[in-house]
Amino acid sequence: MKHKTLITSTILLLIVCFTTFSFSSGHGDKKAKKVGILLVAFGSSIPEAQVSFENIDKKVKAAYPNIPVRWAYTSSIIRKKLAKMGKHLDSPEVALAKMLEEEFTHVAVQSLHTIGGEEFHDLRRSTRAFHYSGGFQRILVGYPLLATQEDMQRAVGAILENIPKERKNKQAVVLMGHGTYHPSNAFYAALMFQVQRKDPNVYIGCVEGYPEIDEIKAMLMEKNIKKAYLMPFMSVAGDHARNDMAGAEEDSWKSILTKAGIQCVPIFKGTAEYDSFVEIWIDHLRGALSHF
Ligand code: CO
């Protein structure tokens, strides 16, 4: 993985250097300022999950009607899957190389990830290559959903605001975060701590990190919870929500909790479908654009 990233970065740097050289070898004209936005998500190959991306796209374009918006997916697996379905999406590196070709001078790259994990840091590394080579006059990366304490407070508000209205206080809300081996996995437990100060029966677990479902199950059983709403804490309600959270297999969260005597109600809506979460990402984009 790391090795592949290094090769990609090196190739990238070469592309950028050549492109820059070909521009600067012209008549010495200074390029006119051209600002662009690149939205970068992990990606999803599930058609029903596209509503999340469409919602962000619509909101960003409404906030910045005069700035061209481009998209890229960080997951090469998702990009390959989509390519087989005839849908083409660029990696951030290719998308940026194309933007360079289109003579953008200032680019705000907005991460649509939830935490600053591996994908986000890879993105920072790639954009740095474009910066140091002099490809763009300015290129900045906007923070993912959860970065500052203010983001945490706003995310707590967004979670509480979007809990299904019919849910009673004694019933739990269990959010499924993605999780990672990256140190920023700690954001999930930190967010659970903060949300529970306001509503003690909201839980945040991870499908690929701590806190795992067994830990969440134990917490629910200690409190004698009988019913739980399961919600993805990911931008899209994609493969993880449909299979790991609510699937019929016996290791899905729904199966595990049902077996423990907890009635489960899955909600198939990603965080990017809720305006209160999207506004956090857009404010981060606004922060990046404010430097241009
Ligand atoms: Co995953």
Side-chain angles (χ1 to χ4, degrees):
M1 185 70 196
K2 285 278 154 270
H3 188 62
K4 213 182 94 206
T5 311
L6 192 69
I7 295 170
T8 316
S9 308
T10 313
I11 294 170
L12 199 86
L13 202 61
L14 289 172
I15 295 171
V16 174
C17 291
F18 280 122
T19 320
T20 315
F21 179 73
S22 63
F23 278 137
S24 54
S25 63
H27 299 282
D29 303 331
K30 197 176 183 309
K31 278 190 272 171
K33 186 177 181 185
K34 186 176 174 187
V35 180
I37 292 170
L38 177 64
L39 299 176
V40 182
F42 177 80
S44 175
S45 59
I46 300 212
E48 298 91 306
Q50 299 309 315
V51 288
S52 285
F53 300 137
E54 282 159 18
N55 189 39
I56 295 183
D57 190 66
K58 198 178 74 197
K59 297 255 155 50
V60 169
K61 285 173 179 165
Y64 296 101
N66 301 318
I67 303 181
V69 176
R70 305 283 185 265
W71 275 85
Y73 285 179
T74 47
S75 167
S76 61
I77 298 171
I78 301 281
R79 289 197 311 269
K80 277 177 198 149
K81 261 195 207 169
L82 287 172
K84 276 186 198 144
M85 292 152 69
K87 210 176 156 203
H88 181 84
L89 263 129
D90 288 328
S91 66
E93 294 80 11
V94 171
L96 286 171
K98 285 182 180 172
M99 289 180 90
L100 209 50
E101 278 289 314
E102 288 185 82
E103 301 201 29
F104 280 93
T105 55
H106 294 68
V107 178
V109 180
Q110 181 54 49
S111 154
L112 300 175
H113 302 103
T114 300
I115 56 164
E118 190 192 351
E119 305 268 331
F120 175 73
H121 286 94
D122 280 349
L123 185 61
R124 294 258 296 226
R125 262 191 295 278
S126 300
T127 50
R128 230 172 278 149
F130 281 86
H131 175 73
Y132 287 133
S133 66
F136 296 107
Q137 284 177 39
R138 232 38 235 274
I139 178 163
L140 290 170
V141 183
Y143 276 136
L145 185 73
L146 304 177
T148 65
Q149 178 51 23
E150 194 199 334
D151 298 336
M152 297 291 271
Q153 281 158 359
R154 290 178 72 182
V156 166
I159 290 169
L160 297 177
E161 199 180 300
N162 296 310
I163 287 172
K165 297 283 168 273
E166 63 274 21
R167 175 252 179 171
K168 313 236 177 352
N169 284 348
K170 291 278 285 175
Q171 299 168 347
V173 176
V174 177
L175 299 163
M176 176 190 261
H178 193 280
T180 171
Y181 56 85
H182 189 277
S184 58
N185 187 68
F187 271 94
Y188 295 105
L191 189 65
M192 175 155 70
F193 173 81
Q194 296 192 34
V195 76
Q196 288 193 344
R197 297 285 290 151
K198 302 237 160 118
D199 185 333
N201 283 334
V202 178
Y203 300 81
I204 302 171
C206 290
V207 60
E208 287 172 31
Y210 179 87
E212 289 173 18
I213 186 59
D214 290 344
E215 188 99 23
I216 302 292
K217 183 180 93 176
M219 291 172 87
L220 295 174
M221 292 178 78
E222 275 164 31
K223 291 225 215 147
N224 205 22
I225 301 280
K226 293 289 172 222
K227 185 171 175 177
Y229 289 85
L230 308 182
M231 301 173 76
F233 187 65
M234 301 179 207
S235 61
V236 302
D239 190 51
H240 286 303
R242 275 153 229 279
N243 297 309
D244 302 305
M245 186 185 86
E249 301 76 25
E250 54 173 51
D251 59 349
S252 78
W253 287 20
K254 187 183 168 193
S255 300
I256 292 168
L257 296 180
T258 304
K259 211 171 162 190
I262 300 161
Q263 187 200 338
C264 292
V265 185
I267 313 277
F268 296 102
K269 230 173 144 180
T271 50
E273 291 179 64
Y274 300 101
D275 292 352
S276 34
F277 285 109
V278 174
E279 278 157 18
I280 303 175
W281 276 302
I282 291 186
D283 281 341
H284 290 170
L285 171 62
R286 184 167 295 124
L289 285 168
S290 72
H291 294 278
F292 297 164

